[in-house]
Amino acid sequence: MGIPSRREAQGDRRYDVVIIGGGINGTSAARELTAAGYKVLLAEMFDLAHGASSRSSRILHCGLRYFETSRPLRSFLSSPRRLASAAGMARAAMQARAELSALRPEICKPFTMCFPVYGGDAVKGWHLDLGFGLLRRLGPARPVLDYRRVAGDFDRHVPFVCDLRDRDRLRSVATYREYIIDSPDRLCVDAALEAERGGAELRLFTRATIAGRTAEGGWSLRLSGQGSVEMVEAPVVLNLAGTWSDEIIAGIAPEPRVPLVTGTKGAHIVVRLPPRYAGHGIACLHRGGHPFYCLPLGGDLFCFGPTETPYGGDAADAVATDEDVAFLIEEANFLLPGLRLRRSDVVFTWAGVRPLGYDARQPMGRRVREIHDLADRGLPGIFAMTAGPVMSHLSAGRDLRKAVGRVLAPSRLPPVPPLPASRPDPAAGDAARMRHAVGAEHARDLMGILYTRTGLAWGRHLDRRTVEVAAETVSDLLGWSPGDVATQVDSFMRHQNIRFARRETDRLSVDRVEART
Ligand SMILES: Cc1cc2nc3c(=O)[nH]c(=O)nc-3n(C[C@H](O)[C@H](O)[C@H](O)COP(=O)(O)OP(=O)(O)OC[C@H]3O[C@@H](n4cnc5c(N)ncnc54)[C@H](O)[C@@H]3O)c2cc1C
């Protein structure tokens, strides 16, 4: 064991592990560590899933994208290391796809992804055959990839083919099964609640700061939030603060300070598409050479994205700018000129910042998931993670538990029986689900109720009256006066308009798209 063991419990303020960050990786680690018998406290400065975890593209993908570069053969033949790394990530993706889709079928929705291949493109049909052959060998057999490459009679096999560009140059279309993670926020909530049932303590709306070393060589942390300050101690700290991870260690890391994280922003636009798109998505490389998708979000809503731009601001403020929206519309129209999308067709937008690994040689960050043991930087007992996607959070939790296990044994026996799931009744009505979010799931505001826990606001813009009714439904549980209700509604409307910026009409635009078909 590389660091001093935890002293026998003295009061309630000592934990085996304090986790900073209630995103997908923090909550998954909390569940794993609690189940292994560690005494865990998780602090989240806002609500669960406040950071990148609620702002991703939501794909549970098979790993093909790790082989997608504008010059795949040249790139991999010139660097066997790059190929080995891509193969490792693809294997992990296939495993995550199998595990998560089996465990949460109600959240992971299958669809048919289509990859158009044009004459003259760098990506050839046989590259895809090779890529899928590799994926089949690398990953579990189920769920099936359902890979096919259609080389003619496109109209019969690819329902939206009439909208594609350059039909005369279209050589083939690869189709395969992917999944959309319908509600990444809910995965965070469930993991946190399962950890709590096993004995973990949750402190939401509580900012954690590492105050310094304890006499025993552990760490002392200040937790401030909800009008109080609390000091706690633990020999192990998991810094799972995503793009904020460098701030967590800024005051305590000795010089020279090499950053942990590089943030890159990804923006998305959401539009309504005609019925022929139902159940389908499109993958390609955009003209800048990065992966670009059209993804089914449910019903007639589809998103195009993401962008990939460096981002240095506070990730909580990331929104799709006019420039992002213009770029995404241009690329969507380049891919599918038949749609003739306009700015007024955009129903809403969202953006997030990826917490990628810092690498001086890769200005856009390192995309391989890494656990950083900060003992190397003079911070024994502190671990961080970069580039951990939503889709592989289950294995991230296990890997973090193993990393902790190398320096500290659990102070308790694992909870018996194993942690039960805590899920709301899917058949319950909206009001019951909202009240459950407050009464049983720690929701404290309308964002936490309508987005994070119930998902009732996702994919639509709620009007003020609907939000007022939602606030009145839970006001007794939260002790809100009529004045508080109005303040909460204002705050929700602001959040909805900024974070999911709405661009003009939706009903009208779908009529126009249908009229063009
Ligand atoms: C545009 C985009 C597209 C993506 N697409 C996909 C995809 O298709 N599939 C996929 O699987 N993944 C995707 N990802 C990646 C994925 O979303 C992230 O890698 C993942 O969510 C990171 O989770 P995390 O828990 O490490 O960080 P976060 O979710 O950012 O969580 C960090 C948390 O720490 C909290 N925090 C920060 N400082 C403190 C403090 N001092 N005290 C307490 N709490 C603090 C924050 O509030 C935040 O909630 C995408 C990401 C983006 C941005």
Side-chain angles (χ1 to χ4, degrees), residues 20-27 43-61 65 181 206-209 240-245 247-248 264-268 295 306-307 350-355 385 387-392:
I20 305 176
I24 196 69
N25 292 312
T27 55
E44 163 54 52
M45 67 176 169
F46 294 106
D47 200 353
L48 296 166
H50 172 79
S53 298
S54 57
R55 298 160 180 246
S56 82
S57 304
R58 304 177 163 228
I59 316 176
L60 171 50
H61 62 81
R65 67 159 73 165
I181 306 171
T206 298
R207 181 184 291 270
T209 317
L240 300 177
T243 45
W244 296 271
S245 297
E247 287 171 26
I248 302 292
T264 70
K265 190 178 88 172
H268 309 80
L295 299 168
T307 57
W350 86 91
V353 184
R354 307 169 183 88
M385 173 175 274
V390 173
M391 57 181 272
S392 59

Side-chain angles (χ1 to χ4, degrees), residues 279-297:
H280 289 80
I282 309 174
C284 64
L285 295 178
H286 66 49
R287 283 174 284 178
H290 288 289
F292 183 68
Y293 303 99
C294 167
L295 299 168
L297 296 183

Side-chain angles (χ1 to χ4, degrees), residues 23-28 31 49 51-61 65-66 92-93 96-97 99-101 104 107-108 180-188 354-355 369 385 387-397:
I24 196 69
N25 292 312
T27 55
S28 183
R31 175 169 55 193
S53 298
S54 57
R55 298 160 180 246
S56 82
S57 304
R58 304 177 163 228
I59 316 176
L60 171 50
H61 62 81
R65 67 159 73 165
Y66 299 123
R97 175 179 179 269
E99 188 177 20
L100 193 56
S101 65
R104 303 302 301 266
I107 284 187
C108 301
I180 275 283
I181 306 171
D182 213 17
S183 174
D185 319 40
R186 188 67 225 177
L187 294 177
C188 295
R354 307 169 183 88
R369 184 178 86 194
M385 173 175 274
V390 173
M391 57 181 272
S392 59
H393 68 280
L394 296 168
S395 66

